[in-house]
Amino acid sequence: MKRIIYYTMITAALSLFTVSCSEDYLDTLPTDQVSAADAFTTTTNAMQALNGIHRIMYNQWRNQGEAGEGSMNINRDMLGEDLVMTSAGNGWYNNTYKWVDHRNETSSTDSYPWWVYYRIIANANMIINNIDGATGPQADKDIIKGQALVYRAWGHFNIVQLYGKRYVAGTQNTQLGVPIMLTNNFDGQPRNTVQEVYAQVEADLTQAATLLATYTRPNKSHMNLSVVRGVQARVALTKQDWTAAAAFAVQARTGYSLMTTAEYTGGFNNYTNREWMWGSTVIADQTTYFYSFFAYMSRNFSSTNIRGNPKAINRVLWNDLAFTATDVRKLNFDPTGAHTALALPSTFSKFPYTSQKFIAAGGADSRGDVVYMRAAEMLLIEAEAYARMGGRDTDAQTALNILRQARETVPANYVASTKTGQALIDEIMLNRRLELWGEGFRFTDLKRLNLPLNRNGANHNTALAVVMDVPAGDVRWEWLIPKAEVDANKQMVQNPL
Amino acid sequence: MMFVLLMVTGLFAFGQTVQITGVVTSSEDGLPLPGVTVKVQGTTIGTVTGPDGVYTLQVPREAASLEFSFIGMQNQVVSISGQTRVNVTLNPDLVAMEEVVVIAYGTAKKGSFTGAAAQIESKKIETRPIANVTQAIEGTNPGIQATSASGQPGSGQDIRIRGFGSVSASNSPLYVVDGVPYSGSISNLNSQDIESISVLKDAASSALYGNKAANGVVMITTKRGSKSRSSVQFTTTQGLSTRSIPEYERVGALAYYPLMWEADYHRQVYAATPVDPATAAQNSTNNLIARVGYNITDVANNQIVRTDGTLNPDAKILGDYAGDLDWQEPIMRQGYRGEYGLTFNGGDDKSDYYVSLGYLNEKGYVIKSDYERFTGRINVNTTPKKWMRTGLNLSGTMTESNVASSGGTSYVNPFFFTRNMGPIYPVYAHDPVTGDYLIDPATGGYIYDLGNLPGLPTRPAGASPGRHVVAETEWNDDLFKRNVLGARAYIDIMFLKNFKFTFNVASDVSAYNGASFENKTVGDGAPAGRADRENSLTTSYTINQLLNYNKTFDIHSVEVLLGHENYDYTYSYLRGFRQGQIVDGNTELVNFTTTNSLTSYTDKYRTEGYFARLNYNLAEKYFISGSYRYDGSSKFYQDTRWGGFWSVSAAWRMDAENFIKSQQWIDMLKLRSSYGAVGSDNGIDFYAWQARYNIGVNNALEPGFIQANLANEALTWESNNTFDVALEFGLLKRVTGSIEFYHRISSNLLFSVPLPLSSGISSQQQNVGTMYNQGIEARLAVDVVKKPSFRWNVDVNASTVKNEITKLPPGQTEIIQGSKKLMVGHSIYDFWLRDWYGVDPADGAALYVANIKDFTTQASNLRIINETDTVSISQNNAKYAYHGSSIPDLLGGITNTFTYKAFELSILATFQIGGEILDGTYQSLMHSGNYGNASHVDILDRWQKPGDITNVPRLDFAQQTPFTSTSDRWLVDASFFSVKNVTFSYNLPASVTQKAGMKGARVWISGENLLLLNARTGLDPQGSFAGTTDNVYTPSRIVTFGINVSL
């Protein structure tokens, strides 16, 4: 009897030992991620990879002040003379305004554009280099690849403008640019020359224009041919290639009409706006809270930053006689700071010349669509390019006047500009500054035109701004290469200190 | 036959004997000891104590003394000298060579154990006022380093065993509770339920947990019933807690104004276009309040600081401001701690049981921080048949805790906010003219001054305008509930004499429910209010089958273990976040209008392993042991997921040799050594080998995903190879100790290697490089005084750690990570920092040793100092260099135990000598003019005029970044001496307790974190292993009174 028990035990024991698990016991998969391989099996999946890049444009990243492209718009204007900090607020962007952060290789502001644009480029490269193997209609592949190419070009173009030396027309442009990334490469690449970077940008855009030639997009977060032309116009303008800039700008704005004056004071927060060419919409569960562009640049969102430090316009620009008193663009700023129409709560500080150009979804809701490109900019590119190329002042006046007329609230006050030469260029540039205030153009405009920063005589508080003048060509026009890049990339060369 | 003999002896003795009675108790817990052998010395006359510890013995009249003996206790001989009542307290056997150590998949006798394990007994844990038993480990044994436990009730300590085995993967030891890797929080365990904590330090003792044991193992074993001593015990402790480490020393209110004046003055006179000094001084005097916001003095705004930069001597703090500038006072309170425990335990020959119920209620010294815990445990074992044994250990824990924000620079972190709040800002709103408190007409109470109220001044950026940590702490919620269920069941089947088969099943389930709410009035929730709900369910199963073979023949003894184990871990997470509160007072998600986030996911992790162990011993003199384990992990690709881990070890009981036996002064001498390899897959993400895209990165309503990480199919186990040699000894019946050397090589280090940002991916998990940790550990316990009524025992341990990287991947000579740089020849905790040069006496500028090699530098950035030194005034241009390490030269603990009759006083102190701390918290208080931010008193040493020799640069608002950038200037000595715990206890005499119908009773008073001596007031030298500081919940000092009654 005992023996039987023993043998039963032994058999049971040994059988338990051999009860191993099935072959795939150790194969586990995440539920909130997909494998990279699956991302490009079909064009449907690849389209999702493209939508991911669209989202990068307005997603919340590492730090407050890193909400996609909107935060870069703030940074680029913060370094100019037209955006005025009214107080230190709670500290955000203070060190950008003071020209400290982009020259501090360990600051997150300095690394952010490098980080976010190369992230866009990497995601675009995954698409560009894998889309051909996906199953699905060729037309879809063209749409996906075309937009990925625009992103790659646009990313490189942004980075080279900040971290590289400026492009000088008529030279070889052999000065240091930034690494060109065409594959998903992790070894650390050397810096290409400025010329090489621009050549690659142009090549990508040219190919994108072909692939997107007939694309009809579902909404303005996607890029169609007009956006490609718009980016091409910006690139040409930066290269001081006036002929190309004008031509691309004309093609880009074809099919768009300008905002009505009523729409112009509507808060710059809706991408279905007729004039917008490219932008993102932000829905409720994609809010970026206190990271949002509107958490710093709107007048109505109740953040500590806005309550204490509403952003103002350079009063010299606002008061410039180039603008009539009834120019709608001036109405977006209040020289008294009261903004009575907004009925701001009493906790909101008031300062002269503050802006209500941008209006957030609500006092408790920092959302708002972010604009990346609109037709007015194309008119301004067209006007500037014609004015600078010489002999085309009439064409320049035409473009400028279309915009000026559209911005006039009292038609009787409108007088067409008849200026020529440098006076015309000056007027165009003043219009550009007022029209695009807060949209992130000023730093790169000063840099491409080799102009100094001059904040004197305006409403800048020297105790906050600290830096009032930066000469043209100063080393500070180049952002420092982030230390994280220098540390991990042996071939990286830092900009002059 | 024996019976007859006894009868005869008894008869013979009758009439010439005395009856002696007494109680035998244990000095450990004061409880009666049943089963103690009592003998008349030198005779066979004897008896054993009964269940109540009482004996009665007829003793020959001429007998001189009685001898008491009991396993695990020191024998004691007591002279009778005419007494008829002899009560005895037995002390535990110090040498305790028969002591059992809990090791992987079993136990071992300490005397024959070939590995390195340290054990902490229940006695050392029970009386300490700790909610998390990890706090009982520090200082008790060498080779263990710990960070301090946060003051948040329920917090534990981070432990490192024998250095730092990994770079990016976890360095934490594996926690094993009742034989099974534990997936829950250690704070789920009631410290009263703990029988012992074993710390397994070397490969020989931990290799059978091969796949998880690379950083050592902490084995926690809970109590079980004892077969012979049934008892009911009730324990309660009541205590108070306060902050243990004081705040950093900061500048007071009036002294603050001249500092900020200077920051503004220097901004102007040292600007690119300088303002002339007289004008600048006048500007600064006039604009002072424009800079700092608040004038809390009784003089005009432009009269506070004079144009020479000094404080107006007439300026006094106005009205009620004076009593309202301390921000810490309103968020702090008297902490409280109460604990209650009830246990039943007992058993008979076949079964035993242990049942416990516990309740802990701890209120931290910061408002809205508390911890309430109910615990229950049932441990039942039974042997229904000779060949079968089975048991079940069930435990349940319910926790509810309010959590204070801690760490980092969040506005809602009370420690960050109050530490950095400038000294001139009031908590409540005041009339700016009179300084009187303003009264809220609605409530009749004071009004929180949010720093930007209409009609009141605005705090500057450095003083967090629009935020108010007191109000936010009061009005916000951050709490969690956690329900935990643990089960361990086993069945042992003994067959064929020498075989035992064991089947173990264990499961731990933890349900977590986090809830937070941010109010509508102030903070991130304003003006709509928002609420967050987080639910997670963690489930882990372990199933193993063990086959044991045990055989002794002649002088040979063999033990064989074969095993197979599966581990399955599942984590499910669900979170919802909404804003727009509808009805005040209700914080459930349904009461909000807009959904900002709603997400869920499930993670799975599995391992499977096969293992074997062989122990052999020859004549209880020579011991050898070998083990092997083969493990697979779901974190690795199928071709690389299996790893083999092994160990060999040996011990030699030299005291069993004749040439030592003759040496009377040697009680015990053992030489042991081990070598083995253990692995780790800990600390990397669950799907580390796979290239993935994050889903849910949608573009409005269009589905989207983005690249998340790179594949690494070669990713595999990190391996730790440890060599260990030790000498253990017991001398003169009063000294025990050990000295031990280890060398631990970690290879294939799991490391999140930073990639160039231009690649679009920040880092990749790789197996990178090799490093070693080595050290010497010593422990010495001495009975300085050893008399029956008084004992003084000193138990000292000390250890060293040396950590060095010996190999990095080809082509990768260095990896920079924060304040550290990994390089061959350096430790992972060597600081790599800008090289601070000093302050230029000419203008007070901060100077760094310049790096002129790697940059194109403008001449204006550089200066030549002392004729030859090239220095830079730009932090970007500073040269980086190695500056010390956070690893101490020596660390250890000292326990002094005094036992006088039934009193015992035990003092645990820990110390560390050497090592550096990069004090970023101090750095932020040493700012160069961040208006509104508090200043450390060291700022008073700043440069003020040409010629000043100092190490503190001038105050200059415009130069804050270059003047206060991270450099070796912020390093401070990490040495410390700390009294961690003092416990004083008293066992009530049996005569008293028995009258009261109790078996025994004990009272004690115990205090944690009583004293700290270190280099800088306010700094916690045990903040982190990496030697960095943070604004964490400062550890609390807890003093409790306890009482334990046995029935």
Side-chain angles (χ1 to χ4, degrees), chain B residues 1-25:
Chain B
M1 173 73 183
M2 190 70 169
F3 177 71
V4 174
L5 196 68
L6 275 172
M7 285 296 287
V8 171
T9 318
L11 281 171
F12 172 73
F14 186 74
Q16 302 165 39
T17 59
V18 189
Q19 177 171 306
I20 294 180
T21 63
V23 188
V24 181
T25 52

PDB file of all heavy atoms in Angstrom, chain B residues 1-25:
ATOM      1  N   MET B   1      12.620   0.815  33.305  1.00  0.00           N
ATOM      2  CA  MET B   1      13.965   0.785  33.882  1.00  0.00           C
ATOM      3  C   MET B   1      14.355   2.174  34.399  1.00  0.00           C
ATOM      4  O   MET B   1      14.689   2.369  35.550  1.00  0.00           O
ATOM      5  CB  MET B   1      14.952   0.306  32.796  1.00  0.00           C
ATOM      6  CG  MET B   1      16.404   0.383  33.204  1.00  0.00           C
ATOM      7  SD  MET B   1      16.800  -0.918  34.401  1.00  0.00           S
ATOM      8  CE  MET B   1      18.489  -0.531  34.758  1.00  0.00           C
ATOM      9  N   MET B   2      14.244   3.136  33.476  1.00  0.00           N
ATOM     10  CA  MET B   2      14.530   4.518  33.832  1.00  0.00           C
ATOM     11  C   MET B   2      13.584   4.995  34.935  1.00  0.00           C
ATOM     12  O   MET B   2      13.975   5.654  35.887  1.00  0.00           O
ATOM     13  CB  MET B   2      14.318   5.371  32.579  1.00  0.00           C
ATOM     14  CG  MET B   2      14.795   6.797  32.695  1.00  0.00           C
ATOM     15  SD  MET B   2      16.585   6.854  32.749  1.00  0.00           S
ATOM     16  CE  MET B   2      16.815   8.592  32.536  1.00  0.00           C
ATOM     17  N   PHE B   3      12.331   4.600  34.730  1.00  0.00           N
ATOM     18  CA  PHE B   3      11.286   4.976  35.685  1.00  0.00           C
ATOM     19  C   PHE B   3      11.649   4.486  37.085  1.00  0.00           C
ATOM     20  O   PHE B   3      11.598   5.245  38.043  1.00  0.00           O
ATOM     21  CB  PHE B   3       9.954   4.366  35.214  1.00  0.00           C
ATOM     22  CG  PHE B   3       8.819   4.624  36.142  1.00  0.00           C
ATOM     23  CD1 PHE B   3       8.266   5.900  36.276  1.00  0.00           C
ATOM     24  CD2 PHE B   3       8.296   3.581  36.901  1.00  0.00           C
ATOM     25  CE1 PHE B   3       7.230   6.137  37.143  1.00  0.00           C
ATOM     26  CE2 PHE B   3       7.254   3.827  37.775  1.00  0.00           C
ATOM     27  CZ  PHE B   3       6.711   5.094  37.906  1.00  0.00           C
ATOM     28  N   VAL B   4      12.079   3.229  37.132  1.00  0.00           N
ATOM     29  CA  VAL B   4      12.453   2.642  38.403  1.00  0.00           C
ATOM     30  C   VAL B   4      13.603   3.407  39.040  1.00  0.00           C
ATOM     31  O   VAL B   4      13.591   3.749  40.213  1.00  0.00           O
ATOM     32  CB  VAL B   4      12.812   1.142  38.218  1.00  0.00           C
ATOM     33  CG1 VAL B   4      13.344   0.537  39.505  1.00  0.00           C
ATOM     34  CG2 VAL B   4      11.610   0.384  37.705  1.00  0.00           C
ATOM     35  N   LEU B   5      14.553   3.705  38.196  1.00  0.00           N
ATOM     36  CA  LEU B   5      15.740   4.416  38.676  1.00  0.00           C
ATOM     37  C   LEU B   5      15.358   5.749  39.293  1.00  0.00           C
ATOM     38  O   LEU B   5      15.791   6.123  40.377  1.00  0.00           O
ATOM     39  CB  LEU B   5      16.697   4.635  37.510  1.00  0.00           C
ATOM     40  CG  LEU B   5      18.134   5.020  37.896  1.00  0.00           C
ATOM     41  CD1 LEU B   5      18.824   3.839  38.573  1.00  0.00           C
ATOM     42  CD2 LEU B   5      18.903   5.464  36.685  1.00  0.00           C
ATOM     43  N   LEU B   6      14.490   6.462  38.585  1.00  0.00           N
ATOM     44  CA  LEU B   6      14.057   7.761  39.076  1.00  0.00           C
ATOM     45  C   LEU B   6      13.325   7.608  40.409  1.00  0.00           C
ATOM     46  O   LEU B   6      13.524   8.387  41.332  1.00  0.00           O
ATOM     47  CB  LEU B   6      13.143   8.435  38.046  1.00  0.00           C
ATOM     48  CG  LEU B   6      13.857   9.214  36.928  1.00  0.00           C
ATOM     49  CD1 LEU B   6      12.844   9.657  35.888  1.00  0.00           C
ATOM     50  CD2 LEU B   6      14.607  10.405  37.498  1.00  0.00           C
ATOM     51  N   MET B   7      12.478   6.626  40.430  1.00  0.00           N
ATOM     52  CA  MET B   7      11.712   6.381  41.647  1.00  0.00           C
ATOM     53  C   MET B   7      12.646   6.152  42.834  1.00  0.00           C
ATOM     54  O   MET B   7      12.482   6.724  43.902  1.00  0.00           O
ATOM     55  CB  MET B   7      10.809   5.146  41.472  1.00  0.00           C
ATOM     56  CG  MET B   7       9.584   5.371  40.600  1.00  0.00           C
ATOM     57  SD  MET B   7       8.462   6.565  41.323  1.00  0.00           S
ATOM     58  CE  MET B   7       7.794   5.577  42.672  1.00  0.00           C
ATOM     59  N   VAL B   8      13.656   5.341  42.557  1.00  0.00           N
ATOM     60  CA  VAL B   8      14.601   5.008  43.614  1.00  0.00           C
ATOM     61  C   VAL B   8      15.324   6.260  44.087  1.00  0.00           C
ATOM     62  O   VAL B   8      15.412   6.560  45.261  1.00  0.00           O
ATOM     63  CB  VAL B   8      15.599   3.935  43.134  1.00  0.00           C
ATOM     64  CG1 VAL B   8      16.710   3.745  44.147  1.00  0.00           C
ATOM     65  CG2 VAL B   8      14.848   2.647  42.874  1.00  0.00           C
ATOM     66  N   THR B   9      15.793   7.003  43.127  1.00  0.00           N
ATOM     67  CA  THR B   9      16.506   8.224  43.468  1.00  0.00           C
ATOM     68  C   THR B   9      15.611   9.122  44.298  1.00  0.00           C
ATOM     69  O   THR B   9      15.999   9.672  45.306  1.00  0.00           O
ATOM     70  CB  THR B   9      16.920   8.988  42.179  1.00  0.00           C
ATOM     71  OG1 THR B   9      17.386   8.043  41.245  1.00  0.00           O
ATOM     72  CG2 THR B   9      17.987  10.005  42.478  1.00  0.00           C
ATOM     73  N   GLY B  10      14.359   9.219  43.800  1.00  0.00           N
ATOM     74  CA  GLY B  10      13.400  10.081  44.489  1.00  0.00           C
ATOM     75  C   GLY B  10      13.174   9.599  45.932  1.00  0.00           C
ATOM     76  O   GLY B  10      13.210  10.396  46.871  1.00  0.00           O
ATOM     77  N   LEU B  11      13.005   8.327  46.055  1.00  0.00           N
ATOM     78  CA  LEU B  11      12.753   7.793  47.388  1.00  0.00           C
ATOM     79  C   LEU B  11      13.936   8.035  48.298  1.00  0.00           C
ATOM     80  O   LEU B  11      13.811   8.454  49.434  1.00  0.00           O
ATOM     81  CB  LEU B  11      12.465   6.288  47.299  1.00  0.00           C
ATOM     82  CG  LEU B  11      11.040   5.939  46.851  1.00  0.00           C
ATOM     83  CD1 LEU B  11      10.955   4.425  46.581  1.00  0.00           C
ATOM     84  CD2 LEU B  11      10.043   6.352  47.912  1.00  0.00           C
ATOM     85  N   PHE B  12      15.087   7.811  47.686  1.00  0.00           N
ATOM     86  CA  PHE B  12      16.321   7.970  48.434  1.00  0.00           C
ATOM     87  C   PHE B  12      16.479   9.415  48.909  1.00  0.00           C
ATOM     88  O   PHE B  12      16.889   9.684  50.018  1.00  0.00           O
ATOM     89  CB  PHE B  12      17.499   7.569  47.544  1.00  0.00           C
ATOM     90  CG  PHE B  12      18.831   7.868  48.158  1.00  0.00           C
ATOM     91  CD1 PHE B  12      19.299   7.080  49.239  1.00  0.00           C
ATOM     92  CD2 PHE B  12      19.611   8.934  47.730  1.00  0.00           C
ATOM     93  CE1 PHE B  12      20.528   7.350  49.811  1.00  0.00           C
ATOM     94  CE2 PHE B  12      20.836   9.183  48.316  1.00  0.00           C
ATOM     95  CZ  PHE B  12      21.302   8.406  49.352  1.00  0.00           C
ATOM     96  N   ALA B  13      16.042  10.301  48.032  1.00  0.00           N
ATOM     97  CA  ALA B  13      16.239  11.717  48.347  1.00  0.00           C
ATOM     98  C   ALA B  13      15.207  12.240  49.320  1.00  0.00           C
ATOM     99  O   ALA B  13      15.383  13.263  49.932  1.00  0.00           O
ATOM    100  CB  ALA B  13      16.171  12.540  47.054  1.00  0.00           C
ATOM    101  N   PHE B  14      14.091  11.547  49.425  1.00  0.00           N
ATOM    102  CA  PHE B  14      12.987  12.074  50.209  1.00  0.00           C
ATOM    103  C   PHE B  14      13.412  12.378  51.630  1.00  0.00           C
ATOM    104  O   PHE B  14      14.123  11.620  52.275  1.00  0.00           O
ATOM    105  CB  PHE B  14      11.824  11.067  50.201  1.00  0.00           C
ATOM    106  CG  PHE B  14      10.590  11.595  50.857  1.00  0.00           C
ATOM    107  CD1 PHE B  14       9.807  12.556  50.232  1.00  0.00           C
ATOM    108  CD2 PHE B  14      10.234  11.168  52.140  1.00  0.00           C
ATOM    109  CE1 PHE B  14       8.682  13.045  50.839  1.00  0.00           C
ATOM    110  CE2 PHE B  14       9.099  11.663  52.739  1.00  0.00           C
ATOM    111  CZ  PHE B  14       8.304  12.619  52.105  1.00  0.00           C
ATOM    112  N   GLY B  15      12.983  13.513  52.112  1.00  0.00           N
ATOM    113  CA  GLY B  15      13.309  13.872  53.467  1.00  0.00           C
ATOM    114  C   GLY B  15      14.567  14.691  53.589  1.00  0.00           C
ATOM    115  O   GLY B  15      14.744  15.420  54.552  1.00  0.00           O
ATOM    116  N   GLN B  16      15.399  14.607  52.539  1.00  0.00           N
ATOM    117  CA  GLN B  16      16.623  15.413  52.609  1.00  0.00           C
ATOM    118  C   GLN B  16      16.610  16.469  51.519  1.00  0.00           C
ATOM    119  O   GLN B  16      17.630  16.959  51.087  1.00  0.00           O
ATOM    120  CB  GLN B  16      17.842  14.516  52.403  1.00  0.00           C
ATOM    121  CG  GLN B  16      17.910  13.413  53.407  1.00  0.00           C
ATOM    122  CD  GLN B  16      18.884  12.343  52.983  1.00  0.00           C
ATOM    123  OE1 GLN B  16      19.936  12.652  52.441  1.00  0.00           O
ATOM    124  NE2 GLN B  16      18.551  11.093  53.248  1.00  0.00           N
ATOM    125  N   THR B  17      15.451  16.814  50.999  1.00  0.00           N
ATOM    126  CA  THR B  17      15.407  17.748  49.874  1.00  0.00           C
ATOM    127  C   THR B  17      14.653  19.025  50.232  1.00  0.00           C
ATOM    128  O   THR B  17      13.911  19.064  51.205  1.00  0.00           O
ATOM    129  CB  THR B  17      14.686  17.132  48.648  1.00  0.00           C
ATOM    130  OG1 THR B  17      13.375  16.804  49.070  1.00  0.00           O
ATOM    131  CG2 THR B  17      15.403  15.919  48.152  1.00  0.00           C
ATOM    132  N   VAL B  18      14.909  20.017  49.348  1.00  0.00           N
ATOM    133  CA  VAL B  18      14.193  21.285  49.437  1.00  0.00           C
ATOM    134  C   VAL B  18      13.431  21.448  48.130  1.00  0.00           C
ATOM    135  O   VAL B  18      13.937  21.079  47.075  1.00  0.00           O
ATOM    136  CB  VAL B  18      15.187  22.465  49.558  1.00  0.00           C
ATOM    137  CG1 VAL B  18      14.443  23.745  49.881  1.00  0.00           C
ATOM    138  CG2 VAL B  18      16.268  22.165  50.562  1.00  0.00           C
ATOM    139  N   GLN B  19      12.247  22.023  48.177  1.00  0.00           N
ATOM    140  CA  GLN B  19      11.526  22.270  46.928  1.00  0.00           C
ATOM    141  C   GLN B  19      11.846  23.681  46.432  1.00  0.00           C
ATOM    142  O   GLN B  19      11.666  24.666  47.150  1.00  0.00           O
ATOM    143  CB  GLN B  19      10.027  22.129  47.139  1.00  0.00           C
ATOM    144  CG  GLN B  19       9.258  22.469  45.862  1.00  0.00           C
ATOM    145  CD  GLN B  19       7.808  22.122  45.999  1.00  0.00           C
ATOM    146  OE1 GLN B  19       7.433  20.993  46.331  1.00  0.00           O
ATOM    147  NE2 GLN B  19       6.975  23.107  45.750  1.00  0.00           N
ATOM    148  N   ILE B  20      12.331  23.724  45.207  1.00  0.00           N
ATOM    149  CA  ILE B  20      12.638  25.035  44.609  1.00  0.00           C
ATOM    150  C   ILE B  20      11.705  25.229  43.417  1.00  0.00           C
ATOM    151  O   ILE B  20      11.502  24.327  42.602  1.00  0.00           O
ATOM    152  CB  ILE B  20      14.108  25.109  44.169  1.00  0.00           C
ATOM    153  CG1 ILE B  20      15.008  25.035  45.419  1.00  0.00           C
ATOM    154  CG2 ILE B  20      14.376  26.397  43.386  1.00  0.00           C
ATOM    155  CD1 ILE B  20      16.475  25.101  45.126  1.00  0.00           C
ATOM    156  N   THR B  21      11.117  26.431  43.313  1.00  0.00           N
ATOM    157  CA  THR B  21      10.295  26.745  42.135  1.00  0.00           C
ATOM    158  C   THR B  21      10.793  28.049  41.537  1.00  0.00           C
ATOM    159  O   THR B  21      11.574  28.788  42.147  1.00  0.00           O
ATOM    160  CB  THR B  21       8.814  26.933  42.496  1.00  0.00           C
ATOM    161  OG1 THR B  21       8.713  28.037  43.364  1.00  0.00           O
ATOM    162  CG2 THR B  21       8.210  25.710  43.113  1.00  0.00           C
ATOM    163  N   GLY B  22      10.295  28.313  40.359  1.00  0.00           N
ATOM    164  CA  GLY B  22      10.683  29.565  39.701  1.00  0.00           C
ATOM    165  C   GLY B  22      10.135  29.630  38.294  1.00  0.00           C
ATOM    166  O   GLY B  22       9.503  28.693  37.803  1.00  0.00           O
ATOM    167  N   VAL B  23      10.364  30.760  37.678  1.00  0.00           N
ATOM    168  CA  VAL B  23       9.929  30.975  36.292  1.00  0.00           C
ATOM    169  C   VAL B  23      11.162  31.236  35.442  1.00  0.00           C
ATOM    170  O   VAL B  23      12.050  31.981  35.848  1.00  0.00           O
ATOM    171  CB  VAL B  23       8.989  32.198  36.184  1.00  0.00           C
ATOM    172  CG1 VAL B  23       8.409  32.281  34.769  1.00  0.00           C
ATOM    173  CG2 VAL B  23       7.889  32.130  37.208  1.00  0.00           C
ATOM    174  N   VAL B  24      11.170  30.641  34.288  1.00  0.00           N
ATOM    175  CA  VAL B  24      12.265  30.921  33.348  1.00  0.00           C
ATOM    176  C   VAL B  24      11.700  31.764  32.211  1.00  0.00           C
ATOM    177  O   VAL B  24      10.691  31.410  31.600  1.00  0.00           O
ATOM    178  CB  VAL B  24      12.868  29.612  32.792  1.00  0.00           C
ATOM    179  CG1 VAL B  24      14.018  29.935  31.843  1.00  0.00           C
ATOM    180  CG2 VAL B  24      13.336  28.733  33.938  1.00  0.00           C
ATOM    181  N   THR B  25      12.317  32.897  31.987  1.00  0.00           N
ATOM    182  CA  THR B  25      11.845  33.762  30.900  1.00  0.00           C
ATOM    183  C   THR B  25      12.979  34.030  29.933  1.00  0.00           C
ATOM    184  O   THR B  25      14.149  33.791  30.226  1.00  0.00           O
ATOM    185  CB  THR B  25      11.339  35.114  31.439  1.00  0.00           C
ATOM    186  OG1 THR B  25      12.351  35.661  32.276  1.00  0.00           O
ATOM    187  CG2 THR B  25      10.055  34.952  32.239  1.00  0.00           C
TER     188      THR B  25
END
